[in-house]
Amino acid sequence: MDNLRQRMNGRVQIHHAEGWSLTQIHLDNDYDASLILLLDEVLKDDPMLPANPVFAVPARNALLVCSPSDEEALQAMANIALQAFEDSAYAISTQLYQYHNGTISVFRAN
């Protein structure tokens, strides 16, 4: 964890889609997905996302995040995750997850 913190120090880039909560987080195209381990730290000052964001890690170089109450962003994220998973040599998962108080669980839409 210390090595990941050191690697991300000042290098994390957060890109918000205009008009909704869909967000892409970049580090270095190798450890982007690893940032889920430090999501509290990565998003601590982000006013666009709640404390319990939904996220996808379709590949090692892809981390997508959005609000669980943003239906458009959830659908777009699921579609992007599927495409990234299918196109990546380093695929991880098409599943959506939710982060809450340091715990990661499979996202269940209401």
Side-chain angles (χ1 to χ4, degrees), residues 1 14 19 23 36 52 63-64 67 94 98 103:
M1 297 299 281
I14 299 174
T23 302
I36 64 170
N52 62 334
L63 175 56
L64 303 164
S67 170
T94 60
Q98 190 161 25
T103 301

Side-chain angles (χ1 to χ4, degrees), residues 49-63:
L49 294 166
N52 62 334
V54 175
F55 68 89
V57 285
R60 76 175 187 191
N61 65 340
L63 175 56

